[in-house]
């Protein structure tokens, strides 16, 4: 993890674009007011959208087994079963 830099509230106000660009680039800051730490600016962790095939296969090998019958029973018990189709004419 990158070192966290300390900035004052005044720095944040006057250099907000520069600081936000740094946060977007992965840098973290501790914000101070009157010499006291009051908060942190940290980049959001980005979620991966793609998992490589080999990684998915490795995770799948250690996943617990699933009973298809138990899954369907649970699904039927929790899903609302509507017989009327509001879009049927």
């Amino acid at each position: 993890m990158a070192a966290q830099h300390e900035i004052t509230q005044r720095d944040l106000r006057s250099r907000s674009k520069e600081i936000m660009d740094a946060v977007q680039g992965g840098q973290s800051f501790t914000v101070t007011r009157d010499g006291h730490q009051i908060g942190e600016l940290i980049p959001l962790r980005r979620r991966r959208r793609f998992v490589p095939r080999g990684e998915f296969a490795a995770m799948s090998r250690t996943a617990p087994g699933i009973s298809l019958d138990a899954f369907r029973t649970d699904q039927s018990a929790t899903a609302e079963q509507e017989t009327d189709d509001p879009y049927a004419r």
Side-chain angles (χ1 to χ4, degrees):
M1 186 171 172
Q4 201 161 343
H5 298 281
E6 212 170 80
I7 57 171
T8 65
Q9 178 183 3
R10 178 172 287 162
D11 285 338
L12 178 58
R13 190 172 46 242
S14 64
R15 299 174 34 223
S16 63
K17 182 188 181 329
E18 174 189 343
I19 292 167
M20 290 300 156
D21 287 346
V23 171
Q24 186 175 14
Q27 193 169 348
S28 299
F29 295 90
T30 299
V31 181
T32 63
R33 180 192 297 154
D34 298 326
H36 302 297
Q37 295 180 345
I38 61 168
E40 295 179 323
L41 290 174
I42 58 171
L44 293 176
R45 195 176 98 198
R46 300 204 187 273
R47 293 179 61 186
R48 280 194 316 181
R49 293 179 186 248
F50 173 78
V51 177
R53 180 184 297 214
E55 188 175 336
F56 178 78
M59 290 186 298
S60 297
R61 282 192 289 276
T62 60
I66 296 173
S67 163
L68 186 55
D69 291 332
F71 174 76
R72 286 185 177 148
T73 301
D74 288 345
Q75 188 179 30
S76 293
T78 58
E80 292 184 8
Q81 307 274 332
E82 291 196 28
T83 55
D84 297 331
D85 183 355
Y87 300 105
R89 293 181 187 214

